[in-house]
Amino acid sequence: MKFDDLDTRLRVFETAHDHCALPGLYLVARLDGRGFTRLTKEVHPFEAPFDVRMRDYMTETTRHLLECGFRMVYGYTQSDEISLLLHPLEDSFGRKLRKYTSVLAGEASAKFSLLLGSIGVFDCRVSQFPRVQDVVDYFRWRQEDAGRNSLNAHCYWLLRKQGRTVAEATAQVKGQRTATKHDLLFANGINYNNLPAWQKRGIGLYWEEYSKRGLNPVRQEMVETSRRRLATNLELPLGEPYSEFVQSLLLAGT
């Protein structure tokens, strides 16, 4: 069989399920660390429940993804997950979803592994949203998840450090009201409201415009030029202000 005939026949099997995102849909990619509980608690024992090294590795990985060749509007990271809002007009690879998931997972895994000095692997999935409000709701959902997980983690690791077993600490935290968890921490000298915002709300990265003054070599005069850079926000707002913030980024990027 000639190569061209062989290539044509077998390409069918490779591309039969090549799903593409429709134009006009908003795409959000979410990456999650694979086996990160073991990786960060046993293989590389980071400080629990939060470690600034892990925070910085995840932030730098998110920054890398925003600059890895796709048009991105916003990157958000909390715990071992990263959410990326692609520009509505992003059409690389004909909007083939398998390309987005494989490239982004590979880029994230490579960057994080280099930072850690050990293998760290991410998976990736892409959500397709028809409306701006769906995108806003998605990022509100992930931020609220960050807050819930943060409170549970602080309570769990407080109990573990007091000598409770994994099962005992898990059982004591599970099902407790939010106010009860706050009281548990406060009784042990921890005011949850005073903890760093990034632990409770996650971290946002987005493009911002700034002015730079420089010399025009042709006219030999100082001029102001507009440049773009990535900003990192460790003090994200909550609730409705956060919704307005995400919406403003999306609308500014269209």
Side-chain angles (χ1 to χ4, degrees), residues 147 150-151 154-155 178-179 181-187 189-201 234-236 238:
S150 169
L151 181 58
H154 275 285
C155 291
T178 299
K181 296 173 185 176
H182 278 270
D183 290 342
L184 170 64
L185 295 176
F186 194 78
I190 302 173
N191 187 332
Y192 184 75
N193 295 324
N194 292 338
L195 293 174
W198 62 268
Q199 296 185 10
K200 301 175 289 184
R201 307 176 193 176
L234 277 69
E235 300 279 345
L236 291 172
L238 285 170

Side-chain angles (χ1 to χ4, degrees), residues 51-70:
D51 192 304
V52 293
R53 294 173 299 165
M54 182 64 176
R55 177 201 67 187
D56 292 344
Y57 293 165
M58 292 299 296
T59 301
E60 284 304 309
T61 300
T62 305
R63 176 179 292 274
H64 173 74
L65 294 173
L66 290 171
E67 298 178 311
C68 75
F70 296 102

Side-chain angles (χ1 to χ4, degrees), residues 152-163:
N152 287 341
H154 275 285
C155 291
Y156 172 84
W157 284 106
L158 169 68
L159 295 171
R160 292 283 284 123
K161 291 173 182 178
Q162 290 179 341

Side-chain angles (χ1 to χ4, degrees), residues 128-215:
Q128 305 177 63
F129 298 114
R131 303 176 304 164
V132 170
Q133 187 58 51
D134 297 322
V135 175
V136 173
D137 288 344
Y138 171 87
F139 283 99
R140 279 283 297 273
W141 169 49
R142 300 322 303 151
Q143 189 185 63
E144 290 180 11
D145 181 75
R148 181 193 64 181
N149 290 340
S150 169
L151 181 58
N152 287 341
H154 275 285
C155 291
Y156 172 84
W157 284 106
L158 169 68
L159 295 171
R160 292 283 284 123
K161 291 173 182 178
Q162 290 179 341
R164 306 292 203 284
T165 65
V166 171
E168 291 170 341
T170 300
Q172 186 167 341
V173 174
K174 185 178 180 180
Q176 293 290 343
R177 295 171 58 247
T178 299
T180 303
K181 296 173 185 176
H182 278 270
D183 290 342
L184 170 64
L185 295 176
F186 194 78
N188 286 273
I190 302 173
N191 187 332
Y192 184 75
N193 295 324
N194 292 338
L195 293 174
W198 62 268
Q199 296 185 10
K200 301 175 289 184
R201 307 176 193 176
I203 300 165
L205 292 90
Y206 47 90
W207 299 98
E208 65 176 7
E209 300 287 336
Y210 72 100
S211 295
K212 184 175 181 179
R213 188 170 175 79
L215 177 67

Side-chain angles (χ1 to χ4, degrees), residues 61-91:
T61 300
T62 305
R63 176 179 292 274
H64 173 74
L65 294 173
L66 290 171
E67 298 178 311
C68 75
F70 296 102
R71 295 176 67 185
M72 300 282 189
V73 175
Y74 182 47
Y76 173 78
T77 180
Q78 58 106 348
S79 186
D80 66 343
E81 75 171 50
I82 297 170
S83 293
L84 304 166
L85 172 58
L86 280 72
H87 191 284
L89 299 180
E90 171 59 53
D91 61 356

Side-chain angles (χ1 to χ4, degrees), residues 7-20 96 98-99:
D7 184 68
T8 299
R9 184 171 71 84
L10 294 181
R11 287 284 180 188
V12 173
F13 295 96
E14 187 177 59
T15 61
H17 298 289
D18 244 351
H19 300 295
C20 299
K96 291 179 181 177
R98 70 175 175 88
K99 285 289 190 177

